[in-house]
């Protein structure tokens, strides 16, 4: 296992010397930045040395090699540990990059960020979510292996390793995802738990006295207890045992000392989130025998850490295996490569367009959650990479489609996951599936419960990954379940997240287009929001169908320049159309604009936006069953918004809509009032 060491050297560095390189780089970078967390990197350095040098399979010159082991630093505040080992191992992360730790525009931000630093598999920092992403990655590996591997050709065969601390395991998301991981028997998932007993507030035994090993055993995990995290041989043996267990994920409980090597501060919260200071750093160098200056790595230690040759050999061997596989199983090989590249099938455009037109021809009135299920039935057979599920609301969300095959421990090649009541965990697992590659993941719950999952949705947007979050029961229209289940502020709240598109379609055709557009996008997540109650089908021309993909379009128009524009989304489009008929009968020139995705509409060229919402028409009314504030950007100070600025009630949907004034009659009254005011230009 020590094949990394050149055999000609007279003296090979000891494991402790290799680990001390991590400690030195970490404390020096934090000190230079005058900001950061040196304690965890110093405490977990010995564990990292063993994992990276003896077990982790990767090619630092190709961080995207498909069959690499995934490493997730769930306790992401210890980012300098990861940056140190990436640099030492041969990734394109220089000493200058380490010196720029936490500085503007650097490749070494305060917490690991996906897409910014080579070798960083996911953005971490919000504790517990990296662990949840890793569960998604392990599901991805197991699923792809079951689908594509053949005897003698295990082209998908890699492990997922996680570093996690006390904070990660205190977070509720860890309970959600680790319970599911045990049920799914994810044997290639190994979590190394940094049991140092310290968090920001001090010694955790005042607020965290769980019997963690028993907890994970209850989940169905293989647990290795009481490993000395500073004994490299003990850590090595534990990982070897973990990798020999194939039917359970493994938790290795490593007892460590936070800030190990700092003689006056180790073992205390003082090392957690602040620089050690020059005096203590000098004491560390003396205590651990590190004689090199800041950011200096002795040649023999640098050579021992360098894995570029080994990494290239691993990938070359895999490439040879894949070439043999492709010769024997060309169709499987081509599909596997297409999926890992994130490219849709060659016939996608034509088949998807044909399906949308078919939906239009059916002209069905139904709840958009039913339209969503119809879209899954249409698009699902075209996309073997589609994988998803629901947080215990499968029947209500309409996420089980005709080609769904339930993914279980015994049937890992399925494409449907029963996530259980785990909205946050589900959403973070979707992110892990997307990050692994080879999948288009979706997961569903009621819109009101997007609050439980919001931080995972935010991280999907921050990373720019194509997770799909499906939300049904989108308003007071769900009726009798009452205000606890009736979302009011949630549409606006989700729209506030940068880098995410939110679709709220009004009928079957808009639902199909929303799915089509979302399935095609590769660089951002989407929220798809659907009704519980039935909504009317809206007839359209072929041009209007095409314009749905632009996020907003003219659904119904008048002769000449409109004197009033009604803007609506979702179920309120039907109300706007009813109001339009009444106003048109009174001789009013009114336009209805359907705005299923404001984010996409905002990206259109100004000429298109002005054609849909002409500035010369300043009289505008927006209608949506949610808080009204968002829509003033489209109606301006002279316009009006008909929304809901209070919580709902428990009653049949029609009664609640009338009770809060979301009716066609209310729209007509507001329109007539607005039309009595002088015409204005939109500002």
């Amino acid at each position: 296992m020590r094949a990394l060491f050149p055999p000609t050297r007279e003296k090979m560095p000891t494991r402790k010397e290799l680990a001390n390189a991590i400690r030195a780089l970490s404390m020096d970078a934090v000190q230079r930045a005058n900001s950061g967390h040196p304690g965890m990197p110093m405490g977990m350095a010995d564990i990292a040395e063993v994992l990276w040098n003896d077990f982790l399979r990767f090619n630092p010159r190709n961080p995207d090699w498909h069959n690499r082991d995934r490493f997730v630093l769930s306790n992401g505040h210890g980012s300098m540990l990861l940056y140190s080992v990436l640099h030492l191992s041969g990734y394109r992360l220089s000493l200058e990059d380490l010196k720029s730790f936490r500085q503007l525009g650097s490749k070494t931000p305060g917490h690991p960020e996906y897409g910014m630093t080579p070798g960083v598999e996911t953005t971490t920092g919000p504790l517990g979510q990296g662990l949840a992403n890793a569960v998604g990655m392990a599901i991805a590996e197991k699923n792809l292996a079951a689908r594509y591997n053949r005897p003698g050709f295990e082209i998908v065969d890699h492990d997922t390793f996680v570093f996690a601390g006390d904070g990660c395991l205190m977070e509720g998301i860890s309970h959600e995802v680790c319970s599911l991981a045990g049920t799914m028997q994810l044997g290639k998932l190994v979590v190394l738990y940094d049991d140092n007993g310290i968090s920001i507030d001090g010694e955790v035994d005042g607020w965290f006295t769980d019997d963690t090993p028993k907890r994970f055993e209850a989940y169905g995990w293989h647990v290795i207890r009481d490993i000395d995290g500073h004994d490299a041989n003990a850590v090595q043996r534990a990982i070897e045992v973990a990798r020999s267990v194939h039917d359970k994920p493994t938790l290795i409980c490593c007892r460590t000392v936070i800030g190990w090597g700092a003689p006056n501060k180790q073992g205390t919260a003082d090392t957690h989130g602040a620089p050690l200071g020059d005096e203590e750093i000098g004491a560390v160098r003396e205590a651990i025998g590190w004689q090199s200056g800041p950011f200096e790595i002795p040649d023999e230690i640098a050579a021992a850490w360098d894995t570029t040759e080994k990494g290239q050999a691993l990938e070359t061997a895999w490439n040879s295996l894949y070439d043999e596989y492709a010769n024997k199983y060309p169709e499987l090989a081509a599909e596997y490569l297409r999926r890992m590249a994130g490219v849709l099938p060659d016939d996608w455009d034509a088949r998807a367009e044909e399906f949308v037109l078919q939906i239009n021809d059916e002209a069905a009135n139904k709840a958009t959650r039913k339209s969503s299920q119809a879209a899954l039935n249409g698009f699902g057979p075209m996309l073997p990479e589609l994988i998803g599920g629901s947080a215990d609301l499968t029947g209500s969300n309409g996420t089980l489609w005709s080609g769904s095959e339930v993914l279980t421990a015994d049937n890992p090649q399925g494409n449907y996951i029963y996530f259980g009541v785990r909205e946050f965990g589900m959403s973070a697992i979707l992110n892990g599936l997307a990050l692994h590659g080879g999948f288009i993941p979706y997961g569903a719950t009621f819109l009101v419960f997007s609050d439980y999952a919001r931080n995972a949705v935010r991280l999907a947007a921050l990373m720019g990954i194509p997770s799909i979050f499906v939300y049904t029961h989108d308003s007071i229209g769900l009726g009798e379940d009452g205000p606890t289940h009736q979302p009011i502020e949630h549409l606006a709240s989700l729209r506030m997240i940068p880098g995410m598109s939110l679709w709220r379609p009004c009928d079957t055709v808009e639902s199909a287009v929303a799915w089509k557009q979302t399935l095609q996008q590769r660089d951002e997540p989407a929220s798809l929001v659907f009704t519980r109650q039935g909504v009317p089908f809206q007839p359209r021309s072929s041009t209007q169908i095409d314009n749905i993909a632009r996020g907003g379009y003219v659904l119904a128009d008048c002769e000449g320049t409109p004197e009033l524009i009604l803007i609506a989304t979702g179920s309120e489009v039907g109300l706007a159309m009813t109001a339009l008929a009444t106003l048109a009968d009174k001789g009013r020139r009114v336009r209805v604009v359907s705005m299923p995705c404001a984010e996409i509409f905002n990206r259109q060229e100004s000429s298109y936006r002005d054609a849909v919402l002409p500035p010369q028409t300043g009289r505008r009314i927006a209608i949506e069953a949610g808080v009204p504030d968002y829509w003033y950007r489209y109606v301006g100070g002279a316009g009006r918004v008909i929304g809901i600025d209070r919580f709902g009630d428990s009653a049949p949907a029609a009664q609640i809509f009338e009770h809060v004034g979301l009716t066609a009659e209310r729209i007509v009254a507001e329109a007539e009032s607005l039309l009595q005011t002088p015409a204005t230009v939109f500002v």
Side-chain angles (χ1 to χ4, degrees), residues 314-330:
L314 286 169
E315 183 173 356
T316 298
W318 183 85
N319 288 338
S320 296
L321 178 67
Y322 177 82
D323 288 343
E324 293 180 43
Y325 173 82
N327 286 331
K328 191 167 185 178
Y329 305 103

Side-chain angles (χ1 to χ4, degrees), residues 446 473-482 485-487 532-533 651 653:
F446 289 171
H473 296 59
D474 70 344
S475 72
I476 58 173
L478 66 88
E480 291 85 346
D481 276 342
H485 283 52
Q486 293 167 1
R532 176 185 184 271
Q533 75 274 23

Side-chain angles (χ1 to χ4, degrees), residues 621-679:
I621 300 175
I623 311 108
E624 185 172 71
V627 292
D629 295 22
Y630 176 84
W631 290 100
Y632 283 102
R633 66 189 298 178
Y634 298 103
V635 303
R640 300 182 186 178
V641 179
I642 300 175
I644 306 175
D645 57 5
R646 46 155 288 186
F647 294 117
D649 297 278
S650 181
Q655 293 181 21
I656 301 175
F657 270 98
E658 185 171 357
H659 181 63
V660 302
L662 267 174
T663 63
E665 293 77 13
R666 164 85 181 282
I667 298 170
V668 170
E670 292 284 353
E672 290 181 327
S673 172
L674 188 59
L675 286 166
Q676 298 306 311
T677 65

Side-chain angles (χ1 to χ4, degrees), residues 331-347:
E331 292 184 1
L332 283 176
E335 183 180 89
Y336 169 78
L337 275 191
R338 178 189 66 75
R339 287 180 56 171
M340 292 302 292
V343 176
L344 293 173
D346 290 339
D347 60 354

Side-chain angles (χ1 to χ4, degrees), residues 146 200 296 376 421 554 612 645 647:
I200 293 175
E296 292 179 4
L376 283 169
V421 188
V554 178
V612 174
D645 57 5
F647 294 117

Side-chain angles (χ1 to χ4, degrees), residues 132-465:
N133 297 160
V135 172
M137 294 174 188
I139 292 172
E141 191 277 342
K142 190 171 183 177
N143 180 276
L144 289 171
R147 179 171 179 84
Y148 292 104
N149 287 354
R150 293 296 182 268
F153 295 97
E154 293 188 339
I155 62 165
V156 182
D157 180 20
H158 53 265
D159 297 317
T160 302
F161 293 98
V162 182
F163 278 8
D166 292 308
C168 291
L169 300 191
M170 281 187 252
E171 289 284 0
I173 190 172
S174 73
H175 296 259
E176 295 183 23
V177 300
C178 292
S179 170
L180 187 62
T183 298
M184 290 192 169
Q185 299 178 13
L186 301 177
K188 290 189 175 180
L189 174 64
V190 178
V191 177
L192 293 119
Y193 165 38
D194 181 26
D195 183 11
N196 62 37
I198 297 292
S199 66
I200 293 175
D201 281 349
E203 297 181 5
V204 300
D205 58 9
W207 51 85
F208 184 53
T209 58
D210 300 15
D211 188 331
T212 298
K214 283 187 178 179
R215 170 187 155 193
F216 276 78
E217 286 170 351
Y219 292 152
W221 284 54
H222 170 229
V223 177
I224 303 175
R225 300 169 178 251
D226 297 324
I227 297 301
D228 182 349
H230 302 297
D231 181 342
N233 292 329
V235 173
Q236 182 189 48
R237 289 192 298 269
I239 298 175
E240 287 173 348
V241 171
R243 295 186 70 242
S244 71
V245 175
H246 303 299
D247 61 347
K248 295 180 179 181
T250 296
L251 178 74
I252 303 175
C253 301
C254 301
R255 290 178 285 103
T256 65
V257 176
I258 190 171
W260 188 96
N264 302 303
K265 293 186 176 184
Q266 67 179 20
T268 71
D270 291 340
T271 68
H272 174 85
L276 297 178
D278 291 332
E279 184 176 344
E280 186 70 4
I281 285 178
V284 172
R285 281 186 156 79
E286 183 175 351
I288 68 175
W290 190 263
Q291 299 178 3
S292 301
F295 299 101
E296 292 179 4
I297 303 297
D299 291 343
E300 66 273 12
I301 290 179
W305 264 106
D306 185 14
T307 61
T308 52
E309 185 177 341
K310 176 188 175 184
Q312 187 58 57
L314 286 169
E315 183 173 356
T316 298
W318 183 85
N319 288 338
S320 296
L321 178 67
Y322 177 82
D323 288 343
E324 293 180 43
Y325 173 82
N327 286 331
K328 191 167 185 178
Y329 305 103
E331 292 184 1
L332 283 176
E335 183 180 89
Y336 169 78
L337 275 191
R338 178 189 66 75
R339 287 180 56 171
M340 292 302 292
V343 176
L344 293 173
D346 290 339
D347 60 354
W348 163 258
D349 288 336
R351 294 179 66 188
E353 185 63 27
E354 181 182 357
F355 174 73
V356 171
L357 295 176
Q358 174 190 328
I359 289 293
N360 184 64
D361 291 342
E362 291 174 358
N365 298 332
K366 62 174 70 173
T368 56
R369 62 172 175 155
K370 296 294 185 182
S371 301
S372 169
Q373 189 169 37
L376 283 169
N377 277 313
F379 296 131
M382 308 177 197
L383 299 170
E385 56 264 52
L386 189 65
I387 187 170
S390 176
D392 204 52
L393 292 168
T394 290
S396 297
N397 295 148
T399 44
L400 192 72
W401 57 282
S402 59
S404 294
E405 181 181 352
V406 179
L407 191 156
T408 65
D410 297 327
N411 184 39
Q413 68 178 12
N415 61 3
Y416 192 84
I417 301 172
Y418 285 105
F419 284 101
V421 188
R422 301 181 177 103
E423 296 89 355
F424 191 6
M426 171 186 71
S427 302
I429 286 171
L430 297 181
N431 291 345
L433 286 160
L435 288 160
H436 180 280
F439 295 93
I440 300 175
Y442 68 93
T445 185
F446 289 171
L447 178 58
V448 75
F449 300 136
S450 64
D451 282 344
Y452 283 143
R454 183 179 176 84
N455 202 257
V457 177
R458 180 180 187 271
L459 283 188
L462 180 62
M463 290 187 278
I465 57 175

